[in-house]
Amino acid sequence: MTDPRQIARRYAAERRFKAYGAAALAVTALFLAFLAVDIVGKGWPAFFEHHTTLTVSIDADKVDAAAPLKGDYDAIVKKAFRARFPAVTSRGQAKKLTGLLSVGAADDLRRLVAADTSLIGTRIDAPILLSADADLYFKGAGSQASAKTGAGAIRITAAGEGFALSGDVAGIAPGEIVRLNKGALRVVSVAAGVIMAEALLPPENLNEASAGSYDILTFRTPEAERRLSDQESMWLESLKDSGLVERGFNWRFFTSGDSREPELAGLLAALVGSLYTVFITLIISLPLGVAAATYLEEFAPRNRWTQLIEVNINNLAAVPSIIFGLLGLAVFLNFFELPRSAALVGGLVLALLVLPTIIIASRAAFRAVPPSIREAALGVGASHQQAVFHHVLPLAIPGILTGTILGVSRALGETAPLLMIGMVAFIVDVPGGVTEAATALPVQIFLWSDLPELGFQSKTAAAIMVLMVVLFCLNAVAIYLRKRFERRW
């Protein structure tokens, strides 16, 4: 008779095992959730960009109607932007001011006028792209500030090159910025109830004195540690207060190639390069993989040579991907002298990488077909070849497709082999064919992650999100095909 204490210990052990399994799943889910939240939190701002609306004059002396694309739109945009801040007179300040605009700020205006030359000689309100630093400022990254309303009214008096503030000035400390009358004054010193300040943005309607309510702006990061100075930040605040800053979806991220400027960088060239590379990978690895699996599983004799081949295929499936990159470098580039950094070479290397996976998955799909299918076909007079290609292979296609898509998903996320064959080039233009210089999405992520600008950190996370969505879609297709064509025997 079984001891009740042994039964209790068995049940207790089973409960502990279930608890350990549940705890392992919970920890895994926690890490995955943390990873997803971190990536989405960092990458989500990259899907949006900020513009400022400027009234620009499309002067005929700057833009020729016969060749509108060659106009001096950069001068037009900078002139309109300086007109918003007439107090900016020195060359150094003007350079800082126009630095708040993207180096490609004039490109959107260029395309707008080229599409409608009747705009030449007119004044229009046009959206102008801001620089990455200005964009990050409005997104609250790098130079976050807190504002509080002043306790009452203060009086401003001109004092030499600066201003003296008096009245309800309690609680104002040096370094803080007082904003009133559409101006911004940075506190220099506080003594005997009088505050001396310098003008970052001159107040409006100021003769000898002016009074009014105010607010105090304090930056959490010292000016020396920020990308934008206090004055540049006040220029941006002035644009925002005037309602001239708009936030919109960053379509440029999906319609342009790489750039040295974070606000102009996009994924289109990398996406097209990945599509070309995966296309080459698929058209090479799928026929070869299925043919090899068909021969090994259905036609090859069972001897020492086929066993050696099977062992090598299994070993190749576990070889680090960088080894295939070295192989591609030695064979395709150095020996065959194929074009460097081309999707053709990348596809060939990745085809070698996923070929063992496709062969193994295809052989498993053949084994999953019941032997009775073969026997029935042979029993009604079909040849061995007819039984395989007319009956067994069609039933194995769902498993073959599933393995192929999973292999392609792995190839889409590979970086090391592509780095070895030179697909790490700076690609601005979208490649027009498989032999042109190209890069891939994982390589683009690698390149952006190595850049020091804050704007590229957000772009890197956003590109990871795009890559994960593509991989999830491919895996979803594999699951759908498996469920759609699954046969239960």
Side-chain angles (χ1 to χ4, degrees), residues 9-63:
R9 285 195 294 269
R10 293 175 186 173
Y11 284 127
E14 183 178 352
R15 288 192 297 270
R16 285 195 301 271
F17 180 77
K18 291 181 179 179
Y20 294 153
L25 289 175
V27 171
T28 303
L30 183 63
F31 277 110
L32 288 175
F34 175 79
L35 177 63
V37 170
D38 183 62
I39 292 175
V40 173
K42 291 179 179 179
W44 186 252
F47 293 104
F48 301 91
E49 62 184 9
H50 286 87
H51 299 81
T52 182
T53 302
L54 295 180
T55 301
V56 296
S57 298
I58 315 298
D59 300 329
D61 60 337
K62 291 288 196 323
V63 181

Short mmCIF file of all heavy atoms in Angstrom, two decimals, residues 9-63:
data_model
loop_
_atom_site.label_atom_id
_atom_site.label_comp_id
_atom_site.label_asym_id
_atom_site.label_seq_id
_atom_site.Cartn_x
_atom_site.Cartn_y
_atom_site.Cartn_z
N ARG A 9 3.99 14.15 -0.98
CA ARG A 9 5.22 14.73 -1.48
C ARG A 9 5.22 14.82 -3.00
O ARG A 9 5.74 15.78 -3.59
CB ARG A 9 6.42 13.90 -1.00
CG ARG A 9 6.76 14.11 0.48
CD ARG A 9 8.14 13.57 0.80
NE ARG A 9 8.19 12.11 0.66
CZ ARG A 9 7.95 11.26 1.65
NH1 ARG A 9 7.61 11.72 2.86
NH2 ARG A 9 8.02 9.95 1.46
N ARG A 10 4.64 13.80 -3.67
CA ARG A 10 4.56 13.84 -5.13
C ARG A 10 3.71 15.02 -5.61
O ARG A 10 4.09 15.75 -6.53
CB ARG A 10 3.97 12.54 -5.67
CG ARG A 10 4.86 11.31 -5.47
CD ARG A 10 4.12 10.07 -5.93
NE ARG A 10 4.88 8.85 -5.62
CZ ARG A 10 4.40 7.62 -5.78
NH1 ARG A 10 3.15 7.46 -6.26
NH2 ARG A 10 5.14 6.58 -5.49
N TYR A 11 2.56 15.18 -4.98
CA TYR A 11 1.69 16.30 -5.35
C TYR A 11 2.36 17.65 -5.06
O TYR A 11 2.23 18.62 -5.84
CB TYR A 11 0.35 16.21 -4.63
CG TYR A 11 -0.57 15.17 -5.21
CD1 TYR A 11 -1.14 14.19 -4.42
CD2 TYR A 11 -0.89 15.18 -6.57
CE1 TYR A 11 -1.99 13.22 -4.95
CE2 TYR A 11 -1.75 14.23 -7.11
CZ TYR A 11 -2.29 13.25 -6.31
OH TYR A 11 -3.13 12.31 -6.84
N ALA A 12 3.07 17.70 -3.94
CA ALA A 12 3.78 18.94 -3.61
C ALA A 12 4.87 19.23 -4.64
O ALA A 12 5.07 20.38 -5.05
CB ALA A 12 4.38 18.84 -2.20
N ALA A 13 5.59 18.19 -5.06
CA ALA A 13 6.62 18.37 -6.07
C ALA A 13 6.01 18.82 -7.40
O ALA A 13 6.58 19.66 -8.11
CB ALA A 13 7.40 17.07 -6.27
N GLU A 14 4.86 18.26 -7.72
CA GLU A 14 4.19 18.67 -8.97
C GLU A 14 3.75 20.12 -8.90
O GLU A 14 3.90 20.87 -9.87
CB GLU A 14 2.97 17.77 -9.21
CG GLU A 14 2.24 18.07 -10.51
CD GLU A 14 1.08 17.14 -10.76
OE1 GLU A 14 0.93 16.15 -9.99
OE2 GLU A 14 0.33 17.37 -11.71
N ARG A 15 3.24 20.54 -7.73
CA ARG A 15 2.83 21.93 -7.59
C ARG A 15 4.04 22.86 -7.68
O ARG A 15 3.97 23.94 -8.28
CB ARG A 15 2.11 22.13 -6.25
CG ARG A 15 0.71 21.53 -6.21
CD ARG A 15 -0.06 22.01 -5.00
NE ARG A 15 0.57 21.58 -3.74
CZ ARG A 15 0.28 20.44 -3.12
NH1 ARG A 15 -0.64 19.63 -3.64
NH2 ARG A 15 0.88 20.12 -1.99
N ARG A 16 5.16 22.45 -7.08
CA ARG A 16 6.36 23.28 -7.17
C ARG A 16 6.84 23.40 -8.61
O ARG A 16 7.25 24.47 -9.07
CB ARG A 16 7.48 22.70 -6.30
CG ARG A 16 7.28 22.91 -4.81
CD ARG A 16 8.58 22.64 -4.06
NE ARG A 16 9.07 21.29 -4.27
CZ ARG A 16 8.73 20.25 -3.52
NH1 ARG A 16 7.86 20.39 -2.51
NH2 ARG A 16 9.23 19.05 -3.76
N PHE A 17 6.78 22.28 -9.34
CA PHE A 17 7.21 22.30 -10.75
C PHE A 17 6.33 23.26 -11.56
O PHE A 17 6.83 24.04 -12.37
CB PHE A 17 7.15 20.90 -11.33
CG PHE A 17 7.57 20.82 -12.77
CD1 PHE A 17 8.91 20.86 -13.11
CD2 PHE A 17 6.63 20.72 -13.79
CE1 PHE A 17 9.31 20.81 -14.43
CE2 PHE A 17 7.02 20.68 -15.11
CZ PHE A 17 8.36 20.71 -15.44
N LYS A 18 5.02 23.22 -11.34
CA LYS A 18 4.12 24.13 -12.04
C LYS A 18 4.40 25.58 -11.65
O LYS A 18 4.37 26.48 -12.51
CB LYS A 18 2.67 23.78 -11.72
CG LYS A 18 2.20 22.46 -12.32
CD LYS A 18 0.75 22.20 -11.97
CE LYS A 18 0.25 20.90 -12.59
NZ LYS A 18 -1.17 20.63 -12.24
N ALA A 19 4.69 25.77 -10.36
CA ALA A 19 4.99 27.14 -9.92
C ALA A 19 6.28 27.65 -10.56
O ALA A 19 6.36 28.81 -10.97
CB ALA A 19 5.09 27.18 -8.40
N TYR A 20 7.30 26.77 -10.66
CA TYR A 20 8.54 27.17 -11.30
C TYR A 20 8.31 27.52 -12.77
O TYR A 20 8.87 28.50 -13.29
CB TYR A 20 9.58 26.04 -11.19
CG TYR A 20 10.02 25.75 -9.78
CD1 TYR A 20 10.48 24.48 -9.42
CD2 TYR A 20 9.97 26.73 -8.78
CE1 TYR A 20 10.88 24.19 -8.13
CE2 TYR A 20 10.36 26.44 -7.48
CZ TYR A 20 10.82 25.17 -7.16
OH TYR A 20 11.20 24.90 -5.88
N GLY A 21 7.51 26.71 -13.45
CA GLY A 21 7.21 26.99 -14.85
C GLY A 21 6.47 28.31 -15.02
O GLY A 21 6.80 29.10 -15.92
N ALA A 22 5.47 28.54 -14.15
CA ALA A 22 4.73 29.81 -14.23
C ALA A 22 5.64 30.99 -13.93
O ALA A 22 5.55 32.05 -14.58
CB ALA A 22 3.55 29.78 -13.25
N ALA A 23 6.54 30.82 -12.95
CA ALA A 23 7.47 31.91 -12.63
C ALA A 23 8.42 32.18 -13.79
O ALA A 23 8.72 33.35 -14.09
CB ALA A 23 8.27 31.55 -11.37
N ALA A 24 8.88 31.13 -14.46
CA ALA A 24 9.77 31.32 -15.61
C ALA A 24 9.05 32.07 -16.73
O ALA A 24 9.62 32.98 -17.35
CB ALA A 24 10.27 29.97 -16.11
N LEU A 25 7.79 31.70 -16.98
CA LEU A 25 7.02 32.41 -18.00
C LEU A 25 6.79 33.86 -17.61
O LEU A 25 6.87 34.76 -18.46
CB LEU A 25 5.68 31.70 -18.22
CG LEU A 25 5.73 30.34 -18.91
CD1 LEU A 25 4.33 29.72 -18.95
CD2 LEU A 25 6.26 30.49 -20.33
N ALA A 26 6.52 34.09 -16.34
CA ALA A 26 6.28 35.47 -15.89
C ALA A 26 7.54 36.32 -16.04
O ALA A 26 7.47 37.47 -16.49
CB ALA A 26 5.82 35.46 -14.43
N VAL A 27 8.70 35.76 -15.68
CA VAL A 27 9.95 36.52 -15.81
C VAL A 27 10.25 36.80 -17.28
O VAL A 27 10.65 37.92 -17.66
CB VAL A 27 11.11 35.75 -15.16
CG1 VAL A 27 12.44 36.41 -15.47
CG2 VAL A 27 10.91 35.67 -13.65
N THR A 28 10.03 35.79 -18.14
CA THR A 28 10.25 35.99 -19.57
C THR A 28 9.34 37.07 -20.13
O THR A 28 9.78 37.95 -20.87
CB THR A 28 10.02 34.67 -20.32
OG1 THR A 28 10.87 33.66 -19.79
CG2 THR A 28 10.29 34.84 -21.80
N ALA A 29 8.05 37.00 -19.74
CA ALA A 29 7.09 38.01 -20.21
C ALA A 29 7.47 39.39 -19.69
O ALA A 29 7.33 40.40 -20.40
CB ALA A 29 5.69 37.65 -19.76
N LEU A 30 7.99 39.46 -18.47
CA LEU A 30 8.40 40.74 -17.90
C LEU A 30 9.56 41.34 -18.69
O LEU A 30 9.55 42.55 -19.01
CB LEU A 30 8.79 40.55 -16.43
CG LEU A 30 9.19 41.82 -15.67
CD1 LEU A 30 7.99 42.77 -15.58
CD2 LEU A 30 9.67 41.47 -14.26
N PHE A 31 10.55 40.52 -19.01
CA PHE A 31 11.68 41.03 -19.78
C PHE A 31 11.25 41.46 -21.18
O PHE A 31 11.70 42.49 -21.70
CB PHE A 31 12.78 39.96 -19.88
CG PHE A 31 13.68 39.91 -18.68
CD1 PHE A 31 13.63 38.84 -17.82
CD2 PHE A 31 14.56 40.94 -18.41
CE1 PHE A 31 14.45 38.78 -16.71
CE2 PHE A 31 15.39 40.90 -17.31
CZ PHE A 31 15.33 39.82 -16.45
N LEU A 32 10.37 40.67 -21.82
CA LEU A 32 9.89 41.04 -23.15
C LEU A 32 9.09 42.34 -23.10
O LEU A 32 9.22 43.19 -23.98
CB LEU A 32 9.03 39.91 -23.73
CG LEU A 32 9.78 38.64 -24.16
CD1 LEU A 32 8.79 37.57 -24.60
CD2 LEU A 32 10.76 38.95 -25.29
N ALA A 33 8.25 42.47 -22.06
CA ALA A 33 7.47 43.71 -21.92
C ALA A 33 8.39 44.91 -21.70
O ALA A 33 8.18 45.98 -22.28
CB ALA A 33 6.48 43.57 -20.76
N PHE A 34 9.41 44.72 -20.88
CA PHE A 34 10.36 45.81 -20.63
C PHE A 34 11.07 46.20 -21.93
O PHE A 34 11.23 47.40 -22.23
CB PHE A 34 11.38 45.38 -19.58
CG PHE A 34 12.46 46.39 -19.35
CD1 PHE A 34 12.24 47.51 -18.56
CD2 PHE A 34 13.72 46.23 -19.94
CE1 PHE A 34 13.24 48.45 -18.36
CE2 PHE A 34 14.72 47.17 -19.74
CZ PHE A 34 14.48 48.28 -18.94
N LEU A 35 11.48 45.20 -22.71
CA LEU A 35 12.16 45.47 -23.98
C LEU A 35 11.24 46.22 -24.94
O LEU A 35 11.63 47.21 -25.57
CB LEU A 35 12.62 44.16 -24.61
CG LEU A 35 13.29 44.26 -25.99
CD1 LEU A 35 14.57 45.07 -25.91
CD2 LEU A 35 13.56 42.87 -26.55
N ALA A 36 9.98 45.75 -25.04
CA ALA A 36 9.04 46.38 -25.96
C ALA A 36 8.74 47.82 -25.54
O ALA A 36 8.72 48.73 -26.38
CB ALA A 36 7.74 45.56 -26.02
N VAL A 37 8.52 48.03 -24.25
CA VAL A 37 8.21 49.38 -23.77
C VAL A 37 9.41 50.30 -23.99
O VAL A 37 9.25 51.46 -24.40
CB VAL A 37 7.82 49.33 -22.28
CG1 VAL A 37 7.75 50.74 -21.69
CG2 VAL A 37 6.48 48.63 -22.10
N ASP A 38 10.61 49.80 -23.74
CA ASP A 38 11.80 50.62 -23.92
C ASP A 38 11.99 51.01 -25.39
O ASP A 38 12.25 52.19 -25.69
CB ASP A 38 13.02 49.86 -23.41
CG ASP A 38 14.30 50.68 -23.49
OD1 ASP A 38 14.36 51.72 -22.83
OD2 ASP A 38 15.22 50.29 -24.23
N ILE A 39 11.82 50.05 -26.30
CA ILE A 39 12.01 50.34 -27.72
C ILE A 39 10.93 51.29 -28.23
O ILE A 39 11.21 52.27 -28.91
CB ILE A 39 12.02 49.03 -28.54
CG1 ILE A 39 13.26 48.21 -28.21
CG2 ILE A 39 11.98 49.33 -30.04
CD1 ILE A 39 13.30 46.86 -28.88
N VAL A 40 9.67 51.00 -27.86
CA VAL A 40 8.57 51.86 -28.33
C VAL A 40 8.69 53.26 -27.74
O VAL A 40 8.48 54.26 -28.43
CB VAL A 40 7.22 51.22 -27.99
CG1 VAL A 40 6.08 52.18 -28.30
CG2 VAL A 40 7.03 49.92 -28.75
N GLY A 41 9.05 53.33 -26.45
CA GLY A 41 9.18 54.63 -25.81
C GLY A 41 10.25 55.49 -26.46
O GLY A 41 10.09 56.72 -26.60
N LYS A 42 11.35 54.88 -26.86
CA LYS A 42 12.44 55.63 -27.50
C LYS A 42 12.17 55.89 -28.98
O LYS A 42 12.59 56.92 -29.52
CB LYS A 42 13.75 54.87 -27.36
CG LYS A 42 14.28 54.81 -25.93
CD LYS A 42 15.59 54.04 -25.87
CE LYS A 42 16.13 53.99 -24.43
NZ LYS A 42 17.38 53.19 -24.35
N GLY A 43 11.49 54.96 -29.64
CA GLY A 43 11.31 55.08 -31.09
C GLY A 43 10.07 55.82 -31.52
O GLY A 43 10.03 56.36 -32.64
N TRP A 44 9.04 55.88 -30.68
CA TRP A 44 7.79 56.50 -31.09
C TRP A 44 7.95 57.97 -31.52
O TRP A 44 7.35 58.40 -32.52
CB TRP A 44 6.76 56.38 -29.97
CG TRP A 44 5.39 56.87 -30.35
CD1 TRP A 44 4.77 58.00 -29.94
CD2 TRP A 44 4.48 56.23 -31.26
NE1 TRP A 44 3.53 58.11 -30.52
CE2 TRP A 44 3.32 57.04 -31.33
CE3 TRP A 44 4.53 55.05 -32.02
CZ2 TRP A 44 2.23 56.70 -32.13
CZ3 TRP A 44 3.44 54.72 -32.82
CH2 TRP A 44 2.31 55.54 -32.86
N PRO A 45 8.74 58.80 -30.80
CA PRO A 45 8.88 60.20 -31.26
C PRO A 45 9.45 60.33 -32.66
O PRO A 45 9.21 61.34 -33.32
CB PRO A 45 9.83 60.80 -30.21
CG PRO A 45 9.66 59.96 -29.00
CD PRO A 45 9.42 58.57 -29.52
N ALA A 46 10.21 59.35 -33.14
CA ALA A 46 10.81 59.46 -34.47
C ALA A 46 9.76 59.41 -35.58
O ALA A 46 10.06 59.81 -36.72
CB ALA A 46 11.83 58.34 -34.68
N PHE A 47 8.56 58.95 -35.28
CA PHE A 47 7.52 58.90 -36.31
C PHE A 47 6.81 60.25 -36.47
O PHE A 47 5.85 60.34 -37.24
CB PHE A 47 6.49 57.82 -35.96
CG PHE A 47 7.05 56.43 -36.03
CD1 PHE A 47 7.36 55.74 -34.88
CD2 PHE A 47 7.26 55.82 -37.25
CE1 PHE A 47 7.88 54.45 -34.94
CE2 PHE A 47 7.78 54.54 -37.32
CZ PHE A 47 8.09 53.86 -36.16
N PHE A 48 7.27 61.27 -35.77
CA PHE A 48 6.68 62.60 -35.87
C PHE A 48 7.79 63.63 -36.04
O PHE A 48 8.93 63.42 -35.62
CB PHE A 48 5.84 62.92 -34.62
CG PHE A 48 4.73 61.95 -34.38
CD1 PHE A 48 4.93 60.83 -33.59
CD2 PHE A 48 3.49 62.14 -34.97
CE1 PHE A 48 3.91 59.92 -33.37
CE2 PHE A 48 2.47 61.23 -34.76
CZ PHE A 48 2.67 60.12 -33.97
N GLU A 49 7.46 64.75 -36.67
CA GLU A 49 8.41 65.83 -36.90
C GLU A 49 7.71 67.17 -36.72
O GLU A 49 6.48 67.25 -36.77
CB GLU A 49 9.03 65.72 -38.30
CG GLU A 49 8.02 65.85 -39.42
CD GLU A 49 8.64 65.65 -40.80
OE1 GLU A 49 9.81 65.26 -40.86
OE2 GLU A 49 7.93 65.89 -41.79
N HIS A 50 8.50 68.21 -36.49
CA HIS A 50 7.95 69.54 -36.26
C HIS A 50 8.33 70.48 -37.40
O HIS A 50 9.47 70.45 -37.89
CB HIS A 50 8.47 70.09 -34.93
CG HIS A 50 7.83 69.46 -33.74
ND1 HIS A 50 8.31 68.31 -33.15
CD2 HIS A 50 6.73 69.82 -33.02
CE1 HIS A 50 7.55 67.98 -32.12
NE2 HIS A 50 6.58 68.88 -32.02
N HIS A 51 7.37 71.29 -37.80
CA HIS A 51 7.57 72.32 -38.81
C HIS A 51 7.23 73.68 -38.20
O HIS A 51 6.48 73.76 -37.24
CB HIS A 51 6.67 72.11 -40.03
CG HIS A 51 6.90 70.82 -40.76
ND1 HIS A 51 6.37 69.62 -40.34
CD2 HIS A 51 7.61 70.56 -41.89
CE1 HIS A 51 6.74 68.66 -41.17
NE2 HIS A 51 7.49 69.20 -42.12
N THR A 52 7.78 74.72 -38.78
CA THR A 52 7.34 76.07 -38.49
C THR A 52 6.74 76.66 -39.76
O THR A 52 7.23 76.40 -40.87
CB THR A 52 8.49 76.95 -37.98
OG1 THR A 52 7.97 78.24 -37.68
CG2 THR A 52 9.61 77.06 -39.01
N THR A 53 5.69 77.41 -39.61
CA THR A 53 5.02 78.02 -40.76
C THR A 53 5.59 79.42 -40.99
O THR A 53 5.53 80.27 -40.09
CB THR A 53 3.51 78.10 -40.53
OG1 THR A 53 3.00 76.77 -40.29
CG2 THR A 53 2.80 78.67 -41.75
N LEU A 54 6.12 79.66 -42.18
CA LEU A 54 6.71 80.95 -42.51
C LEU A 54 6.01 81.54 -43.73
O LEU A 54 5.59 80.81 -44.64
CB LEU A 54 8.20 80.80 -42.82
CG LEU A 54 9.12 80.36 -41.69
CD1 LEU A 54 10.56 80.27 -42.20
CD2 LEU A 54 9.03 81.30 -40.51
N THR A 55 5.90 82.85 -43.74
CA THR A 55 5.40 83.55 -44.91
C THR A 55 6.59 83.89 -45.80
O THR A 55 7.43 84.74 -45.45
CB THR A 55 4.66 84.84 -44.50
OG1 THR A 55 3.57 84.50 -43.64
CG2 THR A 55 4.12 85.56 -45.73
N VAL A 56 6.71 83.21 -46.92
CA VAL A 56 7.87 83.36 -47.79
C VAL A 56 7.47 84.03 -49.08
O VAL A 56 6.34 83.85 -49.57
CB VAL A 56 8.52 81.98 -48.09
CG1 VAL A 56 9.06 81.35 -46.82
CG2 VAL A 56 7.52 81.04 -48.74
N SER A 57 8.39 84.80 -49.62
CA SER A 57 8.17 85.47 -50.91
C SER A 57 8.95 84.73 -51.97
O SER A 57 10.19 84.68 -51.93
CB SER A 57 8.64 86.93 -50.83
OG SER A 57 7.89 87.66 -49.87
N ILE A 58 8.24 84.17 -52.93
CA ILE A 58 8.89 83.44 -54.02
C ILE A 58 9.27 84.46 -55.08
O ILE A 58 8.54 84.68 -56.06
CB ILE A 58 7.97 82.35 -54.59
CG1 ILE A 58 7.30 81.55 -53.47
CG2 ILE A 58 8.75 81.43 -55.51
CD1 ILE A 58 8.27 80.82 -52.59
N ASP A 59 10.38 85.15 -54.88
CA ASP A 59 10.79 86.22 -55.79
C ASP A 59 11.26 85.65 -57.12
O ASP A 59 11.96 84.63 -57.17
CB ASP A 59 11.92 87.05 -55.16
CG ASP A 59 11.48 87.69 -53.85
OD1 ASP A 59 10.28 88.01 -53.73
OD2 ASP A 59 12.33 87.85 -52.95
N ALA A 60 10.88 86.36 -58.18
CA ALA A 60 11.25 85.90 -59.52
C ALA A 60 12.76 85.98 -59.75
O ALA A 60 13.31 85.25 -60.57
CB ALA A 60 10.52 86.74 -60.57
N ASP A 61 13.46 86.87 -59.02
CA ASP A 61 14.90 86.95 -59.20
C ASP A 61 15.64 85.82 -58.50
O ASP A 61 16.83 85.61 -58.74
CB ASP A 61 15.43 88.30 -58.69
CG ASP A 61 15.12 88.49 -57.21
OD1 ASP A 61 14.17 87.84 -56.70
OD2 ASP A 61 15.83 89.27 -56.55
N LYS A 62 14.94 85.10 -57.65
CA LYS A 62 15.54 83.96 -56.97
C LYS A 62 15.14 82.62 -57.62
O LYS A 62 15.86 81.64 -57.50
CB LYS A 62 15.10 83.93 -55.50
CG LYS A 62 15.67 85.05 -54.67
CD LYS A 62 17.13 84.86 -54.43
CE LYS A 62 17.70 85.69 -53.32
NZ LYS A 62 17.27 87.00 -53.09
N VAL A 63 13.98 82.59 -58.28
CA VAL A 63 13.47 81.35 -58.88
C VAL A 63 13.08 81.64 -60.32
O VAL A 63 12.27 82.53 -60.59
CB VAL A 63 12.25 80.81 -58.10
CG1 VAL A 63 11.77 79.51 -58.73
CG2 VAL A 63 12.59 80.61 -56.64
#
